[in-house]
């Protein structure tokens, strides 16, 4: 039976559960809007008053805002979502994404039962021939494949791939592959934001997301970030933005008119890839005008400003306080980066650069320079990330009131370590090179200063195809769809077709699922499973509890815990008891009992991980609870007040200071070079960077590295995210299309490429024309939209559409593999900011426009 036929089939769920194992009849999807036991013609969803029902706490992972929520449940059905007002991060404010969760959990196109592939051929245009199987059979087949790897002494050829997750991922993503003997736990992180963390780490020693004290700031510079639309803590920013605009000056630096840019006092449409030039020119102005923070950075010993354009300064004349290498940075780089020089590079006038920089310096410690992925997820974006973060150091806003801060850590427990459950084969396997080639000469991936410390997600496809460092024989993926979400997505089609056995655990049959041998129906994180997540905002950190507020709509299970427990039983039946022994070692903190079934295991894992938050005997910080039931009822833990300036003089860098000359980066690059018996200059050349010598260790200017000749591909592609993307999983929700014009320049029920009217006139393109965007690596078809919010020389397009699978709304015609709209990743090349391992999404390719 084809997947298209499956999607269209109708069968009672109760009947299916009785006959599926015996008959092979299939109903992967049927029923309307989530009736637990659906009839062939389901009645309309009942209408409820908001005064009826019970509000139950949970959380939303529709983006990395990770907000605490409450769900109104009536007669076992989720009918409404609202913020959990107990959160000190966002309070009673929410965002549009939360509501799309209802259309997801009750989507009639969800995977309803485990499925097995019957067609051994794999490819985009191959019908998988999926047939229904029981959970018992699915886990048995999976266990057989893992046992085969054990018998052949090649457990390292197993891989776990993670997309979205909860903090219970410690079980599936960490313990499980290690106990099996594989080093290959591959996250999505480097297609998310790793380069954004590069600058803060190599200036102040912090590899993580940041928070910002908006309540006390006087100026915000948004750099390639759209916080009221698609950055961390959208809910809080939507609430705070109106007040912020009344008392602070907001500038957006972005090559497109974003939602936040439209709500700013100034918009600087920087040329794609020239962010570093602009940041360095702003630093030049702050120093030459004498506007740096004396309290934080120090001063000339005689109090006279010697920072003069083009002139070097004696390092011994300047006495630094909480910084390191400021004068060296000036001499090597900043002295020559004048606003006039930057104006030619960036397209921003020298006058505007000077005005913004002077205002930033004057407001100083109560100012924020806030970068997202835009200026750093570029081929040469690492040093731009450092240059932008250096501005926070210059004005002294780092860890300061009204400035850029870190946020508190969350007290959490751990499930048992894997070591006691690993045999000798496993101990040997986990020491092998990871499949993503992190740490190779070309991929330093210097997460937290370690060669190969970070993930290089998109490189996995090439590694599988080349069998370098080895071949992958068994893979498990959950809540991920790399065949859609990674640039040059067709490489993933080839790679997944090459893997002999692949298990995919997701809510919907996605592009990646089409290459699976077993597809497992996953729970929806907001409604149907246990877990917890944390995030920072509003100077607080919160941690909220996922919990099953409704019974699973279909026969689905949680990949991070329930599926692991079920698999452990099957492995034990085949003589491999290690994973079961681990599961049995996870004890309920209250009763001391081991789990008797998969649902108990999920609950116990959650209680273990969150115990330091809810158990009075293990209290460490923040909110206090009387016990588990109290925590479960409230649903969210909050940190205490943020201790400003505590990091001054105790940063996580090699010098303990904020580093303008990064000894921390020097140590990391030198170690990576020595590992490969070469020089730092050679490493930088291999990683497509231009810097040589001492410039390797400071924020400096790098010319943009953009694919495509300008004469053949005249427009630079500007990719960005929608405020309605639930981690790319919104595309089968009709509300996504109904509301699409809330993204600036977009249209309802269409997928548009936004072109400046001047460029459109030259190209002979009119509003509404069907066009093809062609890059050096691929093409996509969409609709032309003439829009002044796209600067000349660029074409802007929102990521999120272009699915050829995922459901009958997401795909225009799944049977023909015909996509609704175009996937941006079909034109973006697979390139990287190699120092962090991040995929390059921005300022990475040029395109040409053709009539379609």
């Amino acid at each position: 039976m084809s997947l298209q036929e499956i999607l269209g089939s109708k069968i009672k769920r109760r009947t299916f559960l009785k006959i599926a194992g015996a008959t092979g009849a299939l109903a992967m999807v049927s029923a309307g809007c989530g009736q637990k036991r659906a009839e062939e013609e389901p009645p309309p969803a009942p209408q409820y008053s908001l005064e009826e029902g019970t509000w139950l706490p949970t959380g939303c992972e529709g983006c990395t805002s990770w907000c605490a929520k409450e769900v109104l449940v009536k007669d076992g059905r989720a009918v409404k979502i609202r913020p959990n007002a107990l959160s000190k991060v966002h309070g009673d404010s929410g965002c549009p994404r939360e509501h799309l969760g209802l259309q997801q959990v009750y989507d009639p196109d969800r995977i309803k039962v485990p499925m097995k592939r019957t067609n051994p051929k794999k490819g985009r245009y191959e019908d998988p021939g999926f047939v229904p199987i029981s959970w018992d059979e699915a886990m048995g087949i999976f266990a057989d494949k893992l046992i085969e790897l054990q018998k052949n002494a090649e457990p390292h050829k197993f891989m776990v791939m993670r997309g979205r997750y909860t903090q219970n991922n410690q079980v599936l993503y960490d313990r499980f592959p290690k106990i099996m003997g594989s080093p290959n736990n591959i996250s999505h992180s480097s297609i998310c934001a790793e380069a954004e963390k590069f600058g803060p780490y190599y200036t102040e020693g912090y590899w993580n997301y940041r928070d910002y004290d908006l309540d006390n700031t006087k100026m915000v510079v948004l750099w390639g970030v759209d916080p009221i639309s698609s950055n961390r803590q959208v809910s809080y920013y939507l609430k705070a933005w109106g007040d912020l605009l009344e008392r602070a000056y907001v500038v957006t630096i972005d090559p497109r008119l974003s939602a936040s840019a439209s709500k700013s006092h100034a918009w600087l449409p920087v040329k794609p890839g020239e962010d570093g030039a602009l940041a360095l020119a702003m630093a030049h102005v702050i120093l030459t005008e004498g506007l740096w923070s004396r309290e934080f950075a120090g001063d000339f010993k005689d109090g006279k400003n010697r920072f003069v354009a083009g002139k070097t300064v004696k390092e011994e004349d300047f006495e630094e306080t909480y910084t390191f290498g400021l004068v060296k940075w000036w001499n090597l780089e900043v002295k020559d980066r004048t606003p006039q020089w930057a104006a030619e590079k960036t397209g921003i006038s020298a006058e505007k650069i000077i005005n913004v920089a002077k205002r930033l310096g004057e407001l100083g410690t109560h100012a924020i320079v806030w970068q997202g992925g835009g200026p750093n997820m570029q081929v040469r974006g690492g040093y731009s990330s450092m240059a932008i973060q250096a501005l926070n150091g210059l004005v002294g806003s780092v860890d300061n009131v009204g400035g850029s801060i870190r946020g508190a850590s969350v007290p959490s427990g751990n499930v048992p370590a894997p070591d006691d459950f690993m045999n000798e084969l496993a101990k040997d396997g986990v020491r092998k090179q990871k499949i993503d080639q992190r740490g190779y000469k070309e991929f330093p991936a210097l997460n937290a200063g370690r060669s190969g410390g970070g993930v290089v997600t998109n490189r996995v496809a090439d590694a599988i195809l080349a069998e370098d460092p080895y071949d992958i024989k068994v893979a498990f993926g959950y809540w991920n769809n790399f065949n859609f979400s990674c640039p040059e997505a067709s490489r993933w089609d080839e790679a997944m077709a090459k893997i002999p056995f692949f298990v995919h655990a997701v809510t919907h049959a996605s592009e990646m699922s089409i290459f699976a041998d077993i597809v497992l129906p996953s729970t929806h994180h907001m409604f149907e499973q246990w877990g917890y997540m944390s995030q920072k905002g509003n100077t607080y950190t919160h941690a909220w509890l996922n919990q099953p507020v409704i019974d699973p709509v279909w026969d689905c299970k949680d990949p991070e815990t329930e599926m692991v427990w079920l698999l452990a039983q099957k492995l034990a039946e085949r003589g491999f008891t290690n994973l079961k022994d681990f599961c049995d070692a996870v004890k309920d903190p209250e009763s001391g009992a081991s789990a008797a079934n998969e649902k108990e295991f999920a609950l116990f894992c959650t209680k273990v991980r969150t115990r330091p938050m809810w158990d009075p005997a293990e209290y460490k910080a923040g909110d206090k609870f009387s016990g588990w039931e109290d925590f479960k009822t409230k649903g969210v833990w909050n940190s205490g007040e943020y201790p400003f300036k505590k990091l001054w003089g105790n940063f996580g860098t090699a010098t303990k200071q904020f580093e303008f000359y990064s000894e921390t980066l020097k140590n990391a690059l030198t170690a990576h070079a020595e590992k490969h018996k070469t020089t730092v200059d050679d490493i930088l050349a291999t990683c497509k960077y231009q810097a040589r010598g001492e410039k390797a260790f400071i924020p400096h200017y790098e010319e943009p590295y953009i694919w495509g000749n300008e004469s053949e591909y005249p427009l630079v592609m500007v990719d960005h995210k929608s405020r309605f993307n639930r981690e790319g999983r919104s595309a089968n929700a009709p509300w996504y299309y109904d509301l699409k014009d809330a993204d600036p320049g977009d249209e309802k029920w269409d997928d548009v490429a936004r072109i400046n009217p001047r460029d459109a006139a030259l190209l002979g393109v009119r509003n509404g024309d069907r066009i093809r965007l062609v890059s050096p690596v691929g093409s996509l078809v969409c609709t032309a939209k003439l829009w002044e919010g796209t600067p000349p020389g660029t074409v802007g397009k929102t990521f999120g559409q272009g699915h050829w699978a995922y459901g009958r709304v997401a795909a225009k015609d799944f049977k023909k593999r015909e996509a609704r709209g175009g996937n941006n990743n079909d034109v973006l090349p697979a390139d990287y900011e190699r120092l962090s391992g991040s995929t390059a999404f921005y300022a990475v390719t040029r395109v040409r426009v053709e009539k379609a």
Side-chain angles (χ1 to χ4, degrees):
M1 180 178 286
S2 72
L3 190 55
Q4 180 71 8
E5 292 171 319
I6 293 169
L7 288 169
S9 63
K10 294 180 180 179
I11 188 169
K12 294 182 181 180
R13 180 175 184 270
R14 184 189 306 181
T15 304
F16 172 80
L17 293 175
K18 290 181 178 179
I19 66 173
T23 66
L26 176 61
M28 183 189 86
V29 182
S30 68
C33 268
Q35 295 297 326
K36 177 68 175 180
R37 292 189 174 106
E39 301 301 324
E40 291 186 4
E41 296 297 333
Q47 302 298 309
Y48 297 116
S49 165
L50 298 187
E51 284 72 39
E52 298 177 307
T54 304
W55 287 99
L56 297 175
T58 184
C60 177
E61 293 173 60
C63 70
T64 51
S65 290
W66 297 330
C67 298
K69 301 297 178 186
E70 291 182 315
V71 176
L72 181 63
V73 178
K74 173 67 175 178
D75 297 333
R77 182 185 179 88
V79 298
K80 180 73 175 176
I81 300 167
R82 72 182 182 189
N84 186 335
L86 294 177
S87 167
K88 292 182 180 180
V89 168
H90 55 66
D92 60 1
S93 180
C95 93
R97 289 181 182 87
E98 64 194 49
H99 306 293
L100 293 177
L102 290 169
Q103 288 200 328
Q104 288 180 317
V105 70
Y106 292 122
D107 188 344
D109 288 349
R110 279 184 68 180
I111 302 169
K112 293 177 168 57
V113 294
M115 301 187 297
K116 178 176 67 175
R117 184 183 204 92
T118 60
N119 179 6
K121 294 182 179 179
K122 294 183 179 182
R124 177 179 294 198
Y125 298 99
E126 290 290 341
D127 183 347
F130 286 131
V131 297
I133 58 175
S134 66
W135 278 100
D136 188 73
E137 182 180 355
M139 289 302 172
I141 295 171
F142 192 5
D144 287 340
K145 297 297 181 180
L146 293 173
I147 292 295
E148 186 177 332
L149 292 181
Q150 294 286 318
K151 289 180 177 178
N152 293 333
E154 47 187 15
H156 59 286
K157 296 185 177 182
F158 170 55
M159 172 177 63
V160 172
M161 294 175 287
R162 184 190 79 186
R164 182 47 49 224
Y165 60 94
T166 79
Q167 292 299 342
N168 277 351
N169 82 99
Q170 191 180 68
V171 176
L172 172 58
Y173 182 69
D174 183 81
R175 289 358 183 212
F176 171 42
K178 287 179 179 175
I179 291 170
M180 298 310 302
S182 173
N184 293 312
N185 51 347
I186 304 298
S187 81
H188 73 295
S189 297
S190 69
I191 62 170
C192 181
E194 291 305 272
E196 178 184 330
K197 305 168 188 174
F198 186 85
Y201 185 81
Y202 288 107
T203 52
E204 59 169 290
Y206 184 63
W207 192 282
N208 208 328
Y209 302 126
R210 308 188 61 75
D211 189 15
Y212 305 92
D213 183 15
L214 294 189
D215 282 352
N216 295 298
T217 197
K218 297 177 181 178
M219 182 174 182
V220 179
V221 179
L222 301 173
W223 213 307
V225 64
D226 191 6
I228 64 172
S229 181
S230 60
N231 193 251
R232 279 154 283 286
Q233 249 330 292
V234 172
S235 295
Y236 166 61
Y237 304 138
L238 285 170
K239 178 180 182 179
W241 217 253
D243 290 339
L244 178 70
L245 289 173
E246 290 183 1
R247 58 178 166 73
Y249 188 70
V250 180
V251 179
T252 293
I253 299 171
D254 202 308
R256 68 181 181 95
L257 184 65
S258 64
S260 297
S262 71
K263 302 297 182 183
S264 297
H265 296 99
W267 170 42
L268 304 184
V270 63
K271 288 182 180 178
E274 296 290 359
D275 305 272
L278 183 55
L280 291 165
M282 290 171 65
H284 181 98
V285 172
I286 290 169
L287 290 171
T288 56
E289 294 288 335
L291 299 175
W292 72 89
S293 169
R294 269 69 172 175
E295 179 190 14
F296 185 70
D299 200 359
F300 288 98
K301 293 176 181 177
D302 62 2
K304 181 180 179 181
N305 184 10
R306 289 177 168 78
F307 291 125
V308 178
K311 303 223 179 254
T312 58
V313 173
K314 292 181 180 179
E315 293 183 38
E316 59 267 25
D317 288 346
F318 194 96
E319 187 172 352
E320 294 185 80
T321 48
Y322 299 106
T323 66
F324 178 82
L326 174 56
V327 174
K328 184 175 288 190
W329 180 41
W330 166 266
N331 289 337
L332 288 170
E333 181 72 13
V334 182
K335 66 180 175 62
D336 300 317
R337 303 311 185 191
T338 66
Q340 293 73 24
W341 166 84
E344 295 183 6
K345 300 285 187 183
T346 64
I348 309 299
S349 71
E351 180 184 7
K352 287 183 179 179
I353 295 171
I354 292 169
N355 289 341
V356 170
K358 287 179 68 174
R359 189 183 291 241
L360 178 64
E362 289 164 357
L363 296 175
T365 58
H366 290 72
I368 294 167
V369 182
W370 179 346
Q371 65 175 305
N376 46 64
M377 295 183 77
Q378 304 174 10
V379 176
R380 292 174 175 160
Y383 290 102
S384 295
S385 180
M386 291 179 70
I388 294 166
Q389 182 62 15
L391 294 174
N392 284 314
L394 279 182
V395 301
S397 65
V398 176
D399 210 48
N400 206 346
V401 175
S404 168
I405 61 177
R406 295 188 179 183
S409 59
V410 175
S412 55
N414 295 299
V415 297
D419 307 63
D420 292 341
F421 309 98
M422 295 169 63
N423 58 28
E424 292 304 313
L425 189 61
K427 292 176 182 177
D428 178 65
V430 297
R431 289 192 290 265
K432 295 187 183 297
Q433 166 70 44
K434 288 180 182 281
I435 189 63
D436 62 347
Q437 300 180 352
R438 68 183 74 180
Y440 276 27
K441 180 183 177 182
E442 182 185 0
F443 293 102
L446 300 174
N447 181 322
R450 304 184 309 273
S451 173
V455 65
V456 193
T457 311
N458 199 23
R459 188 65 175 182
V460 172
D462 302 293
I464 291 171
L465 292 170
E467 298 186 8
D468 178 11
Y470 41 75
D471 57 327
I472 292 293
K473 292 187 174 180
V474 179
F476 179 87
Y478 79 105
W479 298 343
N480 69 322
N481 187 16
F482 296 156
N483 296 57
F484 180 81
S485 59
C486 287
E488 281 193 75
S490 60
R491 298 156 40 258
W492 279 92
D493 291 353
E494 296 176 41
M496 298 312 297
K498 184 179 173 68
I499 296 177
F501 185 78
F502 172 48
V503 179
H504 206 206
V506 282
T507 57
H508 291 69
S510 68
E511 286 78 3
M512 202 170 202
S513 306
I514 304 307
F515 296 85
D517 297 273
I518 299 288
V519 177
L520 300 176
S522 168
T523 47
H524 191 289
H525 66 268
M526 187 189 292
F527 305 96
E528 300 172 320
Q529 69 176 69
W530 290 105
Y532 82 100
M533 284 299 288
S534 63
Q535 188 52 285
K536 58 199 73 172
N538 192 25
T539 75
Y540 289 93
T541 298
H542 71 189
W544 46 260
L545 193 65
N546 295 94
Q547 53 183 314
V549 297
I550 60 173
D551 290 336
V553 177
W554 304 107
D555 191 15
C556 52
K557 299 189 184 296
D558 173 9
E560 293 180 329
T561 53
E562 294 179 351
M563 292 186 193
V564 175
W565 191 92
L566 291 171
L567 180 62
Q569 314 310 306
K570 290 300 172 185
L571 287 168
E573 291 174 7
R574 289 153 174 78
F576 185 88
T577 63
N578 306 54
L579 189 60
K580 183 179 183 299
D581 292 341
F582 161 78
C583 291
D584 291 343
V586 176
K587 308 287 187 181
D588 179 1
E590 293 184 296
S591 70
S594 297
N597 55 55
E598 72 274 20
K599 293 189 180 300
E600 282 192 352
F601 183 67
L603 173 61
F604 293 173
C605 287
T606 306
K607 292 172 74 174
V608 168
R609 294 285 279 138
T610 60
R611 185 176 186 177
M613 287 181 258
W614 58 262
D615 188 342
E618 294 199 8
Y619 176 79
K620 290 181 174 61
D623 289 349
K624 293 183 178 180
F625 300 93
S626 61
W628 168 252
E629 290 299 323
D630 187 23
F631 178 50
K632 188 175 73 168
T633 299
K634 292 184 173 71
V636 62
W637 169 93
N638 297 285
S639 68
E641 293 184 357
Y642 188 79
F644 295 101
K645 295 187 178 181
K646 189 175 181 179
L647 294 170
W648 286 22
N650 192 35
F651 290 106
T653 59
T655 63
K656 300 300 181 183
Q657 307 286 57
F658 186 98
E659 295 182 344
F660 295 109
Y661 179 94
S662 182
E663 292 286 353
T664 308
L665 180 55
K666 186 175 185 177
N667 292 341
L669 281 173
T670 300
H672 183 72
E674 290 175 350
K675 172 181 170 182
H676 293 283
K677 297 180 174 56
T678 188
T679 64
V680 170
D681 283 356
D682 183 41
I683 293 298
L684 290 178
T686 302
C687 294
K688 300 187 177 181
Y689 276 102
Q690 297 171 306
R692 302 294 181 266
E694 291 282 84
K695 283 199 174 185
F697 316 125
I698 60 170
H700 66 267
Y701 176 70
E702 294 270 344
E703 294 176 358
Y705 187 101
I706 302 178
W707 287 53
N709 185 290
E710 186 173 359
S711 61
E712 186 176 358
Y713 304 98
L715 304 179
V716 178
M717 176 78 173
V718 177
D719 167 270
H720 66 94
K721 309 303 181 281
S722 168
R723 64 174 56 191
F724 300 108
N725 281 356
R726 288 181 57 87
E727 296 285 349
R729 291 185 287 273
S730 303
N732 209 52
W735 288 341
Y736 178 81
Y737 304 93
D738 289 337
L739 303 171
K740 198 68 186 65
D741 59 349
D743 286 318
D746 276 3
E747 297 286 340
K748 295 179 180 180
W749 288 93
D750 203 350
D751 191 23
V752 302
R754 295 178 299 281
I755 306 171
N756 188 277
R758 279 188 278 172
D759 289 330
L762 294 173
L763 295 167
V765 171
R766 294 179 299 179
N767 219 34
D769 282 352
R770 295 295 290 169
I771 58 172
R772 180 176 290 104
L773 301 184
V774 182
S775 79
V777 300
S779 65
L780 64 83
V781 175
C782 60
T783 302
K785 171 70 179 287
L786 277 58
W787 197 55
E788 292 83 354
T790 299
T794 67
V795 55
K797 186 174 178 300
T798 309
F799 169 76
Q801 298 187 54
H803 282 282
W804 52 265
Y806 214 79
R808 65 192 93 188
V809 178
K812 186 174 181 180
D813 188 330
F814 174 74
K815 189 172 184 180
K816 297 178 180 178
R817 304 298 195 264
E818 185 177 345
R820 180 185 297 280
N823 181 2
N824 292 10
N825 287 316
D826 286 340
V827 299
L828 297 180
D831 213 338
Y832 309 85
E833 195 296 300
R834 289 163 170 77
L835 298 185
S836 66
S838 174
T839 287
F841 282 102
Y842 311 113
V844 68
T845 192
R846 294 180 171 278
V847 296
R848 68 172 179 266
V849 177
E850 300 175 348
K851 293 284 188 70

